Amino acid sequence: MANAQLHIVDCEYLKQIEGARRDLHDLLLNNKQFAPIVLRLAFHDAGTYDANAKTGGPNGSIRNELSNPPNNGIKNAIDFCEQVKTKHPKVTYADLYQLAGVVAVQVTGGPFIPFIPGRPDAPDQQDSGALPNPNGDGQHLRDIFYRMGLNDKDIVALSGAHSLGRAHQDRTPGFDGPFTEDPLKFDNSYFVELMKGDTPGLVKFPTDKVLLEDPAFRQFAELYAKDEKVFFADYAQSQKKLSELGFNAPR
């Protein structure tokens, strides 16, 4: 994606972006149950980025990658976003999916995340970049996120997105249930629950537990459990970074 031309962002395109933002906001506000899967769509489209090869990233190609097992269930989010795409056809899928992720966080109580449009689509690209395996260890998380060009703080902050949604057997075999008491509220409860240890009815992946087992990760997890404002600030920065991987956003 880094070598692709920026999508032309003119006045008409900006109007359609703002229209898409409003429609996404209204749709998600009235259908909050879609917020977690829409946020997952944004993460998975961006998460294939390879900082060395300059391939993958938030280019909209995930709609061609639904056979990739980690993307099970993502079609629901793609179909949800398609109703907005139909109304605002100039908006690229790459921009739409990242904008949807930003709005999903905001309507569920999370921080405002700045969004810069202009991502080009790669409609024929089949990204094969690995995504995090929930059964992985700390080295696995670093292998995946460092490949993208992200760091330890990004890993922990972005893990906090598990305050939304739940685990599903068809997507994460062996796990079923929410991560927090209110899976449609974006807050720091993921880290609060993490500090409590195993809680009946709530799910913790091995990749969640490693955030306490690894000293470098734990310092951030403890901080975020104590201070939601710090978590929100770091999370917004990390999701913005994730949403712009390989995208030389105009400043």
Side-chain angles (χ1 to χ4, degrees):
M1 180 173 172
N3 295 323
Q5 294 292 319
L6 290 179
H7 186 80
I8 295 174
V9 178
D10 54 18
C11 290
E12 176 58 27
Y13 190 76
L14 289 175
K15 285 181 183 177
Q16 293 213 11
I17 283 286
E18 288 312 306
R21 185 196 293 271
R22 287 192 298 271
D23 286 349
L24 285 165
H25 182 275
D26 291 345
L27 284 166
L28 286 167
L29 195 61
N30 292 317
N31 302 275
K32 286 188 178 179
Q33 71 273 19
F34 280 95
I37 192 69
V38 165
L39 181 58
R40 185 165 164 252
L41 166 64
F43 272 43
H44 282 218
D45 194 40
T48 57
Y49 187 63
D50 186 315
N52 290 321
K54 309 296 185 188
T55 58
N59 56 25
S61 64
I62 191 170
R63 67 194 191 281
N64 300 319
E65 299 153 16
L66 299 178
S67 61
N68 188 6
N71 292 333
N72 287 348
I74 290 287
K75 188 176 186 301
N76 293 330
I78 287 176
D79 291 345
F80 183 87
C81 290
E82 193 63 30
Q83 57 192 319
V84 178
K85 173 70 171 173
T86 299
K87 288 181 65 178
H88 309 283
K90 288 185 181 295
V91 176
T92 64
Y93 283 105
D95 274 349
L96 179 63
Y97 296 158
Q98 295 310 312
L99 181 60
V102 163
V103 175
V105 170
Q106 192 170 5
V107 300
T108 52
F112 171 80
I113 301 166
F115 176 82
I116 300 174
R119 296 163 187 77
D121 282 338
D124 299 323
Q125 185 169 341
Q126 294 288 320
D127 294 328
S128 58
L131 294 164
N133 183 323
N135 290 298
D137 57 11
Q139 186 58 52
H140 170 71
L141 283 178
R142 288 190 172 96
D143 287 344
I144 298 295
F145 284 90
Y146 285 14
R147 184 205 71 222
M148 299 181 209
L150 302 178
N151 58 37
D152 285 358
K153 183 169 76 170
D154 295 319
I155 291 172
V156 182
L158 291 171
S159 295
H162 275 167
S163 63
L164 293 183
R166 56 178 290 131
H168 297 264
Q169 283 279 3
D170 62 329
R171 303 169 195 170
T172 50
F175 300 98
D176 186 68
F179 303 96
T180 64
E181 295 290 347
D182 187 348
L184 295 180
K185 182 180 180 182
F186 192 101
D187 56 17
N188 72 333
S189 59
Y190 164 81
F191 297 105
V192 173
E193 293 296 340
L194 200 59
M195 294 299 157
K196 292 179 182 177
D198 290 334
T199 304
L202 299 183
V203 170
K204 290 182 177 65
F205 294 148
T207 46
D208 297 320
K209 295 180 179 181
V210 78
L211 301 185
L212 297 186
E213 297 163 358
D214 185 292
F217 290 153
R218 185 180 181 111
Q219 62 175 323
F220 296 113
E222 289 180 338
L223 175 60
Y224 298 155
K226 293 175 182 175
D227 195 326
E228 188 175 76
K229 287 184 178 180
V230 172
F231 166 54
F232 274 19
D234 286 356
Y235 179 86
Q237 184 180 61
S238 292
Q239 186 173 329
K240 183 176 186 294
K241 188 188 297 187
L242 179 72
S243 79
E244 295 177 356
L245 294 174
F247 170 47
N248 297 316
R251 302 299 175 184

